[in-house]
Short mmCIF file of all heavy atoms in Angstrom, two decimals:
data_model
loop_
_atom_site.label_atom_id
_atom_site.label_comp_id
_atom_site.label_asym_id
_atom_site.label_seq_id
_atom_site.Cartn_x
_atom_site.Cartn_y
_atom_site.Cartn_z
N MET A 1 -0.11 -60.02 20.74
CA MET A 1 -1.04 -61.04 20.22
C MET A 1 -0.23 -62.30 19.88
O MET A 1 0.88 -62.25 19.53
CB MET A 1 -1.66 -60.59 18.88
CG MET A 1 -2.58 -59.40 19.02
SD MET A 1 -4.10 -59.94 19.74
CE MET A 1 -5.12 -58.60 19.56
N ALA A 2 -0.93 -63.45 20.08
CA ALA A 2 -0.29 -64.73 19.82
C ALA A 2 -1.35 -65.67 19.25
O ALA A 2 -2.51 -65.58 19.58
CB ALA A 2 0.30 -65.29 21.15
N PRO A 3 -0.94 -66.62 18.44
CA PRO A 3 -1.86 -67.62 17.93
C PRO A 3 -2.49 -68.45 19.08
O PRO A 3 -1.81 -68.70 20.10
CB PRO A 3 -1.04 -68.56 17.06
CG PRO A 3 0.19 -67.80 16.71
CD PRO A 3 0.39 -66.80 17.91
N ASP A 4 -3.72 -68.83 18.90
CA ASP A 4 -4.41 -69.59 19.98
C ASP A 4 -4.43 -71.12 19.68
O ASP A 4 -4.87 -71.87 20.41
CB ASP A 4 -5.82 -69.15 20.21
CG ASP A 4 -6.79 -69.37 19.02
OD1 ASP A 4 -6.34 -69.92 17.93
OD2 ASP A 4 -7.91 -69.09 19.15
N GLY A 5 -3.77 -71.49 18.51
CA GLY A 5 -3.71 -72.93 18.14
C GLY A 5 -4.96 -73.43 17.46
O GLY A 5 -5.09 -74.54 17.05
N LYS A 6 -6.01 -72.56 17.27
CA LYS A 6 -7.21 -72.90 16.64
C LYS A 6 -7.60 -71.96 15.44
O LYS A 6 -8.71 -71.83 15.13
CB LYS A 6 -8.34 -72.92 17.61
CG LYS A 6 -8.18 -73.86 18.81
CD LYS A 6 -9.29 -73.77 19.76
CE LYS A 6 -8.82 -72.94 20.96
NZ LYS A 6 -9.82 -72.68 21.97
N GLY A 7 -6.61 -71.24 14.95
CA GLY A 7 -6.83 -70.31 13.85
C GLY A 7 -7.19 -68.94 14.28
O GLY A 7 -7.49 -68.10 13.44
N GLY A 8 -7.10 -68.60 15.53
CA GLY A 8 -7.41 -67.25 16.07
C GLY A 8 -6.20 -66.74 16.79
O GLY A 8 -5.10 -67.31 16.75
N VAL A 9 -6.38 -65.63 17.46
CA VAL A 9 -5.34 -65.06 18.29
C VAL A 9 -5.91 -64.63 19.65
O VAL A 9 -7.11 -64.42 19.77
CB VAL A 9 -4.69 -63.83 17.58
CG1 VAL A 9 -3.93 -64.25 16.32
CG2 VAL A 9 -5.70 -62.71 17.28
N VAL A 10 -5.02 -64.51 20.63
CA VAL A 10 -5.33 -63.93 21.90
C VAL A 10 -4.25 -62.93 22.21
O VAL A 10 -3.15 -62.96 21.72
CB VAL A 10 -5.35 -65.04 23.03
CG1 VAL A 10 -6.49 -66.04 22.82
CG2 VAL A 10 -4.06 -65.77 23.10
N GLY A 11 -4.62 -61.91 23.05
CA GLY A 11 -3.72 -60.90 23.42
C GLY A 11 -4.20 -60.09 24.54
O GLY A 11 -5.33 -60.20 25.11
N LYS A 12 -3.30 -59.16 25.03
CA LYS A 12 -3.63 -58.27 26.14
C LYS A 12 -3.06 -56.94 25.86
O LYS A 12 -2.06 -56.77 25.20
CB LYS A 12 -2.91 -58.74 27.42
CG LYS A 12 -3.31 -60.08 28.00
CD LYS A 12 -2.47 -60.39 29.24
CE LYS A 12 -2.67 -61.78 29.76
NZ LYS A 12 -3.99 -62.15 30.13
N THR A 13 -3.76 -55.94 26.37
CA THR A 13 -3.23 -54.50 26.33
C THR A 13 -3.38 -53.98 27.75
O THR A 13 -4.23 -54.37 28.52
CB THR A 13 -3.92 -53.64 25.38
OG1 THR A 13 -5.34 -53.54 25.74
CG2 THR A 13 -3.76 -54.08 23.95
N LEU A 14 -2.51 -53.07 28.14
CA LEU A 14 -2.52 -52.40 29.43
C LEU A 14 -2.62 -50.85 29.31
O LEU A 14 -1.94 -50.32 28.35
CB LEU A 14 -1.29 -52.73 30.30
CG LEU A 14 -1.04 -54.22 30.68
CD1 LEU A 14 0.28 -54.34 31.38
CD2 LEU A 14 -2.20 -54.72 31.50
N ASP A 15 -3.41 -50.27 30.06
CA ASP A 15 -3.49 -48.82 30.10
C ASP A 15 -3.21 -48.34 31.50
O ASP A 15 -3.96 -48.69 32.45
CB ASP A 15 -4.95 -48.41 29.69
CG ASP A 15 -5.18 -46.93 29.61
OD1 ASP A 15 -4.39 -46.16 30.23
OD2 ASP A 15 -6.13 -46.52 28.97
N PHE A 16 -2.13 -47.57 31.68
CA PHE A 16 -1.71 -47.11 33.02
C PHE A 16 -2.35 -45.83 33.48
O PHE A 16 -1.94 -45.28 34.49
CB PHE A 16 -0.23 -47.07 33.13
CG PHE A 16 0.41 -48.41 33.06
CD1 PHE A 16 0.89 -48.98 31.83
CD2 PHE A 16 0.52 -49.24 34.15
CE1 PHE A 16 1.41 -50.22 31.80
CE2 PHE A 16 1.05 -50.49 34.14
CZ PHE A 16 1.49 -50.97 32.89
N ASP A 17 -3.28 -45.29 32.75
CA ASP A 17 -3.92 -44.04 33.02
C ASP A 17 -5.39 -44.11 32.74
O ASP A 17 -5.98 -43.22 32.13
CB ASP A 17 -3.28 -42.84 32.33
CG ASP A 17 -3.75 -41.54 32.81
OD1 ASP A 17 -4.21 -41.41 34.04
OD2 ASP A 17 -3.61 -40.55 32.09
N TYR A 18 -6.05 -45.16 33.23
CA TYR A 18 -7.45 -45.43 32.89
C TYR A 18 -8.32 -44.52 33.74
O TYR A 18 -8.26 -44.55 34.96
CB TYR A 18 -7.77 -46.91 33.09
CG TYR A 18 -9.15 -47.29 32.48
CD1 TYR A 18 -9.29 -47.45 31.15
CD2 TYR A 18 -10.23 -47.44 33.27
CE1 TYR A 18 -10.47 -47.76 30.61
CE2 TYR A 18 -11.48 -47.72 32.73
CZ TYR A 18 -11.62 -47.92 31.42
OH TYR A 18 -12.83 -48.25 30.85
N PRO A 19 -9.31 -43.79 33.11
CA PRO A 19 -10.20 -42.96 33.88
C PRO A 19 -11.23 -43.72 34.64
O PRO A 19 -11.45 -44.94 34.24
CB PRO A 19 -10.84 -42.10 32.77
CG PRO A 19 -10.49 -42.67 31.48
CD PRO A 19 -9.40 -43.70 31.68
N PRO A 20 -11.86 -43.29 35.65
CA PRO A 20 -11.76 -41.89 36.07
C PRO A 20 -10.71 -41.68 37.12
O PRO A 20 -10.38 -40.50 37.45
CB PRO A 20 -13.13 -41.66 36.68
CG PRO A 20 -13.53 -42.96 37.26
CD PRO A 20 -12.92 -44.01 36.28
N ASN A 21 -10.10 -42.71 37.74
CA ASN A 21 -9.23 -42.55 38.94
C ASN A 21 -7.76 -42.91 38.54
O ASN A 21 -7.05 -43.23 39.46
CB ASN A 21 -9.74 -43.39 40.12
CG ASN A 21 -11.08 -43.01 40.53
OD1 ASN A 21 -11.44 -41.81 40.56
ND2 ASN A 21 -11.92 -43.97 40.87
N ALA A 22 -7.40 -42.93 37.34
CA ALA A 22 -6.04 -43.29 36.93
C ALA A 22 -5.66 -44.70 37.42
O ALA A 22 -4.59 -44.90 37.83
CB ALA A 22 -5.02 -42.26 37.37
N ASP A 23 -6.61 -45.60 37.30
CA ASP A 23 -6.32 -47.00 37.61
C ASP A 23 -5.56 -47.58 36.47
O ASP A 23 -5.34 -47.02 35.42
CB ASP A 23 -7.64 -47.76 37.77
CG ASP A 23 -8.46 -47.29 39.06
OD1 ASP A 23 -7.78 -46.86 40.00
OD2 ASP A 23 -9.65 -47.39 39.01
N VAL A 24 -5.19 -48.82 36.67
CA VAL A 24 -4.57 -49.64 35.56
C VAL A 24 -5.65 -50.52 35.01
O VAL A 24 -6.40 -51.21 35.74
CB VAL A 24 -3.40 -50.48 36.09
CG1 VAL A 24 -2.80 -51.34 35.00
CG2 VAL A 24 -2.33 -49.62 36.72
N ALA A 25 -5.84 -50.49 33.64
CA ALA A 25 -6.79 -51.30 33.01
C ALA A 25 -6.13 -52.37 32.14
O ALA A 25 -5.05 -52.11 31.50
CB ALA A 25 -7.72 -50.46 32.15
N ARG A 26 -6.70 -53.55 32.05
CA ARG A 26 -6.18 -54.61 31.18
C ARG A 26 -7.40 -55.07 30.29
O ARG A 26 -8.50 -55.25 30.80
CB ARG A 26 -5.73 -55.80 31.93
CG ARG A 26 -5.13 -56.99 31.09
CD ARG A 26 -4.73 -58.12 31.85
NE ARG A 26 -5.90 -58.89 32.27
CZ ARG A 26 -6.01 -59.64 33.39
NH1 ARG A 26 -5.03 -59.67 34.20
NH2 ARG A 26 -7.06 -60.27 33.67
N ILE A 27 -7.12 -55.14 29.02
CA ILE A 27 -8.08 -55.66 28.07
C ILE A 27 -7.55 -56.99 27.50
O ILE A 27 -6.43 -56.98 26.93
CB ILE A 27 -8.41 -54.74 26.95
CG1 ILE A 27 -8.95 -53.40 27.49
CG2 ILE A 27 -9.45 -55.30 26.02
CD1 ILE A 27 -9.21 -52.35 26.44
N ASP A 28 -8.25 -58.07 27.76
CA ASP A 28 -7.93 -59.38 27.19
C ASP A 28 -8.73 -59.56 25.87
O ASP A 28 -9.95 -59.43 25.92
CB ASP A 28 -8.21 -60.51 28.19
CG ASP A 28 -7.41 -60.35 29.45
OD1 ASP A 28 -6.16 -60.34 29.33
OD2 ASP A 28 -7.99 -60.26 30.54
N TYR A 29 -8.07 -59.90 24.84
CA TYR A 29 -8.68 -60.07 23.53
C TYR A 29 -8.68 -61.61 23.12
O TYR A 29 -7.68 -62.24 23.37
CB TYR A 29 -7.93 -59.31 22.44
CG TYR A 29 -7.97 -57.86 22.56
CD1 TYR A 29 -6.95 -57.16 23.23
CD2 TYR A 29 -8.99 -57.09 22.04
CE1 TYR A 29 -6.95 -55.78 23.39
CE2 TYR A 29 -9.06 -55.66 22.15
CZ TYR A 29 -8.01 -55.08 22.82
OH TYR A 29 -7.98 -53.71 22.94
N THR A 30 -9.73 -62.01 22.57
CA THR A 30 -9.86 -63.30 21.84
C THR A 30 -10.48 -63.02 20.50
O THR A 30 -11.55 -62.46 20.42
CB THR A 30 -10.71 -64.26 22.65
OG1 THR A 30 -10.17 -64.45 23.93
CG2 THR A 30 -10.74 -65.62 21.98
N ILE A 31 -9.75 -63.37 19.41
CA ILE A 31 -10.22 -63.03 18.06
C ILE A 31 -10.20 -64.32 17.24
O ILE A 31 -9.24 -65.03 17.20
CB ILE A 31 -9.39 -61.94 17.40
CG1 ILE A 31 -9.32 -60.70 18.31
CG2 ILE A 31 -9.93 -61.62 16.02
CD1 ILE A 31 -8.35 -59.66 17.78
N ASN A 32 -11.29 -64.65 16.63
CA ASN A 32 -11.48 -65.81 15.76
C ASN A 32 -11.68 -65.29 14.31
O ASN A 32 -12.38 -64.29 14.12
CB ASN A 32 -12.63 -66.64 16.14
CG ASN A 32 -12.40 -67.21 17.58
OD1 ASN A 32 -11.50 -67.81 17.85
ND2 ASN A 32 -13.37 -66.83 18.46
N PHE A 33 -11.11 -66.01 13.33
CA PHE A 33 -11.21 -65.62 11.92
C PHE A 33 -12.03 -66.67 11.16
O PHE A 33 -11.76 -67.87 11.29
CB PHE A 33 -9.86 -65.42 11.30
CG PHE A 33 -9.00 -64.46 11.99
CD1 PHE A 33 -7.97 -64.83 12.88
CD2 PHE A 33 -9.21 -63.11 11.79
CE1 PHE A 33 -7.26 -63.87 13.56
CE2 PHE A 33 -8.45 -62.12 12.43
CZ PHE A 33 -7.48 -62.48 13.33
N ASP A 34 -12.90 -66.21 10.27
CA ASP A 34 -13.66 -67.03 9.33
C ASP A 34 -13.27 -66.66 7.99
O ASP A 34 -13.84 -65.70 7.41
CB ASP A 34 -15.21 -66.91 9.60
CG ASP A 34 -15.96 -67.89 8.81
OD1 ASP A 34 -15.50 -68.32 7.73
OD2 ASP A 34 -17.10 -68.19 9.24
N PRO A 35 -12.33 -67.36 7.34
CA PRO A 35 -11.90 -67.01 6.00
C PRO A 35 -12.99 -67.13 4.95
O PRO A 35 -13.01 -66.46 3.91
CB PRO A 35 -10.69 -68.00 5.74
CG PRO A 35 -10.90 -69.13 6.66
CD PRO A 35 -11.65 -68.60 7.83
N VAL A 36 -14.00 -68.02 5.16
CA VAL A 36 -15.00 -68.24 4.17
C VAL A 36 -15.86 -66.97 4.08
O VAL A 36 -16.23 -66.47 3.03
CB VAL A 36 -15.82 -69.49 4.52
CG1 VAL A 36 -17.02 -69.58 3.59
CG2 VAL A 36 -14.99 -70.75 4.41
N LEU A 37 -16.34 -66.48 5.28
CA LEU A 37 -17.15 -65.30 5.35
C LEU A 37 -16.37 -64.03 5.31
O LEU A 37 -16.94 -62.93 5.15
CB LEU A 37 -18.04 -65.34 6.60
CG LEU A 37 -19.00 -66.47 6.74
CD1 LEU A 37 -19.75 -66.43 8.03
CD2 LEU A 37 -20.02 -66.43 5.54
N GLY A 38 -15.02 -64.12 5.50
CA GLY A 38 -14.20 -62.87 5.52
C GLY A 38 -14.51 -62.13 6.83
O GLY A 38 -14.53 -60.81 6.75
N GLN A 39 -14.74 -62.73 7.92
CA GLN A 39 -15.14 -62.04 9.19
C GLN A 39 -14.11 -62.35 10.28
O GLN A 39 -13.48 -63.42 10.33
CB GLN A 39 -16.50 -62.42 9.65
CG GLN A 39 -17.59 -61.91 8.85
CD GLN A 39 -18.95 -62.20 9.44
OE1 GLN A 39 -19.07 -63.26 10.13
NE2 GLN A 39 -19.96 -61.43 9.17
N ALA A 40 -14.01 -61.48 11.25
CA ALA A 40 -13.30 -61.64 12.50
C ALA A 40 -14.33 -61.39 13.58
O ALA A 40 -15.07 -60.43 13.51
CB ALA A 40 -12.11 -60.70 12.63
N THR A 41 -14.42 -62.29 14.53
CA THR A 41 -15.30 -62.11 15.69
C THR A 41 -14.51 -62.33 16.97
O THR A 41 -13.50 -63.05 16.96
CB THR A 41 -16.46 -63.07 15.70
OG1 THR A 41 -16.05 -64.41 15.71
CG2 THR A 41 -17.37 -62.89 14.49
N GLY A 42 -14.95 -61.72 18.04
CA GLY A 42 -14.21 -61.96 19.25
C GLY A 42 -14.83 -61.25 20.49
O GLY A 42 -15.93 -60.66 20.42
N THR A 43 -14.03 -61.30 21.57
CA THR A 43 -14.46 -60.68 22.80
C THR A 43 -13.31 -59.82 23.38
O THR A 43 -12.15 -60.09 23.08
CB THR A 43 -14.87 -61.73 23.89
OG1 THR A 43 -13.77 -62.55 24.13
CG2 THR A 43 -16.02 -62.54 23.43
N GLU A 44 -13.67 -58.79 24.09
CA GLU A 44 -12.77 -57.96 24.84
C GLU A 44 -13.25 -57.98 26.26
O GLU A 44 -14.39 -57.73 26.55
CB GLU A 44 -12.79 -56.53 24.33
CG GLU A 44 -12.39 -56.36 22.89
CD GLU A 44 -12.53 -54.97 22.43
OE1 GLU A 44 -13.24 -54.15 23.20
OE2 GLU A 44 -12.00 -54.58 21.40
N THR A 45 -12.36 -58.40 27.17
CA THR A 45 -12.69 -58.41 28.63
C THR A 45 -11.94 -57.29 29.29
O THR A 45 -10.69 -57.28 29.35
CB THR A 45 -12.33 -59.73 29.23
OG1 THR A 45 -13.01 -60.82 28.54
CG2 THR A 45 -12.73 -59.82 30.71
N LEU A 46 -12.68 -56.31 29.87
CA LEU A 46 -12.05 -55.10 30.48
C LEU A 46 -12.02 -55.30 32.03
O LEU A 46 -13.11 -55.54 32.65
CB LEU A 46 -12.84 -53.87 30.14
CG LEU A 46 -12.42 -52.57 30.80
CD1 LEU A 46 -10.97 -52.22 30.42
CD2 LEU A 46 -13.32 -51.47 30.36
N THR A 47 -10.82 -55.29 32.60
CA THR A 47 -10.60 -55.48 34.01
C THR A 47 -9.66 -54.36 34.56
O THR A 47 -8.75 -54.03 33.90
CB THR A 47 -9.96 -56.83 34.35
OG1 THR A 47 -10.64 -57.88 33.66
CG2 THR A 47 -9.89 -57.13 35.84
N THR A 48 -10.12 -53.70 35.67
CA THR A 48 -9.28 -52.64 36.24
C THR A 48 -8.54 -53.18 37.56
O THR A 48 -9.09 -54.04 38.17
CB THR A 48 -10.02 -51.39 36.58
OG1 THR A 48 -11.10 -51.64 37.46
CG2 THR A 48 -10.58 -50.73 35.27
N PHE A 49 -7.48 -52.49 37.84
CA PHE A 49 -6.65 -52.81 39.05
C PHE A 49 -6.20 -51.51 39.68
O PHE A 49 -5.99 -50.53 38.98
CB PHE A 49 -5.42 -53.61 38.63
CG PHE A 49 -5.77 -54.93 37.95
CD1 PHE A 49 -6.01 -54.96 36.60
CD2 PHE A 49 -5.64 -56.12 38.68
CE1 PHE A 49 -6.26 -56.17 36.01
CE2 PHE A 49 -5.97 -57.34 38.13
CZ PHE A 49 -6.29 -57.37 36.74
N PRO A 50 -6.07 -51.45 40.98
CA PRO A 50 -5.52 -50.35 41.65
C PRO A 50 -3.98 -50.14 41.16
O PRO A 50 -3.42 -51.03 40.72
CB PRO A 50 -5.55 -50.59 43.15
CG PRO A 50 -5.76 -52.13 43.22
CD PRO A 50 -6.35 -52.57 42.00
N LEU A 51 -3.52 -48.92 41.35
CA LEU A 51 -2.15 -48.63 40.89
C LEU A 51 -1.13 -49.61 41.48
O LEU A 51 -0.12 -49.86 40.81
CB LEU A 51 -1.76 -47.15 41.22
CG LEU A 51 -2.46 -46.16 40.33
CD1 LEU A 51 -2.05 -44.71 40.81
CD2 LEU A 51 -2.09 -46.37 38.90
N GLN A 52 -1.35 -50.11 42.69
CA GLN A 52 -0.37 -51.04 43.27
C GLN A 52 -0.72 -52.43 43.05
O GLN A 52 -0.02 -53.40 43.51
CB GLN A 52 -0.34 -50.79 44.84
CG GLN A 52 -0.01 -49.37 45.19
CD GLN A 52 1.40 -48.94 44.67
OE1 GLN A 52 2.37 -49.77 44.68
NE2 GLN A 52 1.51 -47.71 44.21
N GLY A 53 -1.81 -52.69 42.26
CA GLY A 53 -2.16 -54.11 41.88
C GLY A 53 -1.33 -54.69 40.78
O GLY A 53 -0.41 -53.98 40.22
N ASP A 54 -1.52 -55.94 40.49
CA ASP A 54 -0.78 -56.64 39.48
C ASP A 54 -1.74 -56.90 38.26
O ASP A 54 -2.48 -57.91 38.25
CB ASP A 54 -0.23 -57.95 40.07
CG ASP A 54 0.53 -58.80 38.99
OD1 ASP A 54 0.75 -58.32 37.88
OD2 ASP A 54 0.88 -59.96 39.32
N PRO A 55 -1.62 -56.09 37.25
CA PRO A 55 -2.50 -56.21 36.03
C PRO A 55 -2.28 -57.48 35.24
O PRO A 55 -3.10 -57.81 34.41
CB PRO A 55 -2.36 -54.95 35.26
CG PRO A 55 -0.98 -54.48 35.57
CD PRO A 55 -0.80 -54.92 37.05
N LEU A 56 -1.13 -58.12 35.51
CA LEU A 56 -0.92 -59.38 34.77
C LEU A 56 -1.29 -60.62 35.56
O LEU A 56 -1.13 -61.75 35.09
CB LEU A 56 0.55 -59.46 34.35
CG LEU A 56 1.03 -58.33 33.36
CD1 LEU A 56 2.49 -58.43 33.13
CD2 LEU A 56 0.22 -58.37 32.12
N GLY A 57 -1.74 -60.44 36.78
CA GLY A 57 -2.21 -61.50 37.66
C GLY A 57 -3.74 -61.63 37.58
O GLY A 57 -4.38 -61.07 36.80
N SER A 58 -4.22 -62.40 38.55
CA SER A 58 -5.68 -62.60 38.68
C SER A 58 -6.24 -61.46 39.56
O SER A 58 -5.52 -60.69 40.10
CB SER A 58 -5.92 -63.98 39.23
OG SER A 58 -5.38 -64.10 40.56
N GLY A 59 -7.52 -61.50 39.70
CA GLY A 59 -8.18 -60.44 40.51
C GLY A 59 -8.54 -59.28 39.73
O GLY A 59 -8.85 -59.36 38.51
N GLY A 60 -8.63 -58.14 40.34
CA GLY A 60 -9.07 -56.95 39.74
C GLY A 60 -10.60 -56.87 39.73
O GLY A 60 -11.28 -57.67 40.26
N THR A 61 -11.10 -55.77 39.07
CA THR A 61 -12.55 -55.57 39.03
C THR A 61 -12.95 -55.64 37.56
O THR A 61 -12.54 -54.87 36.73
CB THR A 61 -12.92 -54.13 39.55
OG1 THR A 61 -12.49 -54.06 40.91
CG2 THR A 61 -14.37 -53.87 39.54
N LEU A 62 -13.82 -56.63 37.28
CA LEU A 62 -14.31 -56.84 35.92
C LEU A 62 -15.35 -55.65 35.64
O LEU A 62 -16.28 -55.54 36.30
CB LEU A 62 -15.01 -58.15 35.82
CG LEU A 62 -15.66 -58.49 34.49
CD1 LEU A 62 -14.64 -58.54 33.39
CD2 LEU A 62 -16.50 -59.71 34.51
N LEU A 63 -15.05 -54.88 34.55
CA LEU A 63 -15.99 -53.90 34.11
C LEU A 63 -16.83 -54.30 33.01
O LEU A 63 -17.94 -53.62 32.83
CB LEU A 63 -15.19 -52.59 33.76
CG LEU A 63 -14.40 -51.91 34.80
CD1 LEU A 63 -13.79 -50.59 34.25
CD2 LEU A 63 -15.28 -51.55 36.03
N GLY A 64 -16.49 -55.30 32.24
CA GLY A 64 -17.38 -55.72 31.23
C GLY A 64 -16.71 -56.70 30.20
O GLY A 64 -15.46 -56.70 30.12
N ILE A 65 -17.57 -57.40 29.60
CA ILE A 65 -17.15 -58.35 28.41
C ILE A 65 -17.92 -57.89 27.27
O ILE A 65 -19.13 -57.83 27.28
CB ILE A 65 -17.45 -59.79 28.79
CG1 ILE A 65 -16.64 -60.16 30.05
CG2 ILE A 65 -17.01 -60.68 27.65
CD1 ILE A 65 -16.92 -61.61 30.58
N TYR A 66 -17.19 -57.58 26.20
CA TYR A 66 -17.80 -56.99 24.98
C TYR A 66 -17.46 -57.92 23.83
O TYR A 66 -16.41 -58.38 23.72
CB TYR A 66 -17.25 -55.57 24.74
CG TYR A 66 -17.39 -54.72 25.99
CD1 TYR A 66 -16.36 -54.62 26.89
CD2 TYR A 66 -18.56 -54.07 26.30
CE1 TYR A 66 -16.40 -53.78 28.04
CE2 TYR A 66 -18.67 -53.28 27.46
CZ TYR A 66 -17.59 -53.15 28.30
OH TYR A 66 -17.71 -52.41 29.45
N THR A 67 -18.45 -58.03 22.95
CA THR A 67 -18.20 -58.81 21.68
C THR A 67 -18.14 -57.87 20.49
O THR A 67 -18.58 -56.76 20.52
CB THR A 67 -19.36 -59.82 21.45
OG1 THR A 67 -20.56 -59.13 21.38
CG2 THR A 67 -19.43 -60.77 22.61
N PHE A 68 -17.43 -58.32 19.44
CA PHE A 68 -17.32 -57.52 18.25
C PHE A 68 -17.27 -58.46 17.08
O PHE A 68 -16.92 -59.58 17.15
CB PHE A 68 -16.06 -56.57 18.27
CG PHE A 68 -14.75 -57.36 18.37
CD1 PHE A 68 -14.16 -57.77 17.12
CD2 PHE A 68 -14.18 -57.70 19.58
CE1 PHE A 68 -12.96 -58.45 17.19
CE2 PHE A 68 -13.02 -58.37 19.58
CZ PHE A 68 -12.39 -58.73 18.46
N THR A 69 -17.61 -57.85 15.89
CA THR A 69 -17.60 -58.54 14.64
C THR A 69 -17.05 -57.55 13.60
O THR A 69 -17.41 -56.41 13.65
CB THR A 69 -18.95 -58.96 14.11
OG1 THR A 69 -19.51 -59.84 15.15
CG2 THR A 69 -18.88 -59.73 12.77
N GLY A 70 -16.08 -57.98 12.81
CA GLY A 70 -15.46 -57.14 11.76
C GLY A 70 -15.53 -57.87 10.45
O GLY A 70 -15.60 -59.09 10.37
N GLU A 71 -15.53 -57.20 9.42
CA GLU A 71 -15.51 -57.79 8.03
C GLU A 71 -14.35 -57.31 7.26
O GLU A 71 -13.89 -56.18 7.34
CB GLU A 71 -16.81 -57.41 7.25
CG GLU A 71 -18.04 -57.99 7.88
CD GLU A 71 -19.31 -57.71 7.06
OE1 GLU A 71 -19.16 -57.66 5.84
OE2 GLU A 71 -20.37 -57.60 7.63
N LEU A 72 -13.82 -58.20 6.43
CA LEU A 72 -12.69 -57.94 5.58
C LEU A 72 -13.16 -57.03 4.44
O LEU A 72 -14.23 -57.34 3.76
CB LEU A 72 -12.16 -59.26 4.91
CG LEU A 72 -11.04 -59.11 3.93
CD1 LEU A 72 -9.83 -58.43 4.47
CD2 LEU A 72 -10.71 -60.40 3.25
N LEU A 73 -12.51 -55.95 4.23
CA LEU A 73 -12.83 -55.00 3.12
C LEU A 73 -11.74 -55.24 2.10
O LEU A 73 -10.52 -55.01 2.35
CB LEU A 73 -12.79 -53.57 3.64
CG LEU A 73 -13.79 -53.19 4.73
CD1 LEU A 73 -13.65 -51.75 5.11
CD2 LEU A 73 -15.21 -53.48 4.23
N LYS A 74 -12.17 -55.63 0.94
CA LYS A 74 -11.24 -55.87 -0.20
C LYS A 74 -11.12 -54.55 -1.06
O LYS A 74 -12.18 -53.89 -1.29
CB LYS A 74 -11.65 -57.02 -1.04
CG LYS A 74 -11.76 -58.28 -0.30
CD LYS A 74 -12.15 -59.42 -1.15
CE LYS A 74 -12.17 -60.73 -0.30
NZ LYS A 74 -12.55 -61.87 -1.09
N PRO A 75 -9.96 -54.20 -1.47
CA PRO A 75 -9.74 -53.01 -2.33
C PRO A 75 -10.44 -53.18 -3.72
O PRO A 75 -10.65 -54.23 -4.16
CB PRO A 75 -8.33 -52.82 -2.42
CG PRO A 75 -7.67 -54.12 -2.03
CD PRO A 75 -8.70 -54.85 -1.24
#
């Protein structure tokens, strides 16, 4: 994860054994924080690549773009 310069973060994860065919999957994250509401919102973009593909490059097969919202839980 790295700062996006606007108060949020961006990042990537790789999965080298993604079902069903043991493809390589990349999830790109974008997370924004709202300190007033105590929330985090963002998107996850799931893309798969063949085993010989370049998961850090462009291309691949887009499987979906998902949104999420989280709330800060105070003790």
Side-chain angles (χ1 to χ4, degrees):
M1 294 284 191
D4 67 0
K6 299 179 259 178
V9 294
V10 294
K12 297 179 189 299
T13 60
L14 298 176
D15 181 340
F16 291 96
D17 191 21
Y18 191 77
N21 300 321
D23 293 331
V24 178
R26 181 183 75 210
I27 301 176
D28 297 301
Y29 295 93
T30 301
I31 305 171
N32 300 302
F33 301 101
D34 184 335
V36 174
L37 297 177
Q39 290 184 332
T41 58
T43 59
E44 300 174 345
T45 303
L46 175 60
T47 308
T48 59
F49 299 82
L51 288 177
Q52 301 303 318
D54 179 5
L56 297 177
S58 60
T61 301
L62 177 65
L63 293 186
I65 299 174
Y66 308 96
T67 60
F68 63 88
T69 301
E71 293 188 30
L72 174 65
L73 299 176
K74 297 181 181 180

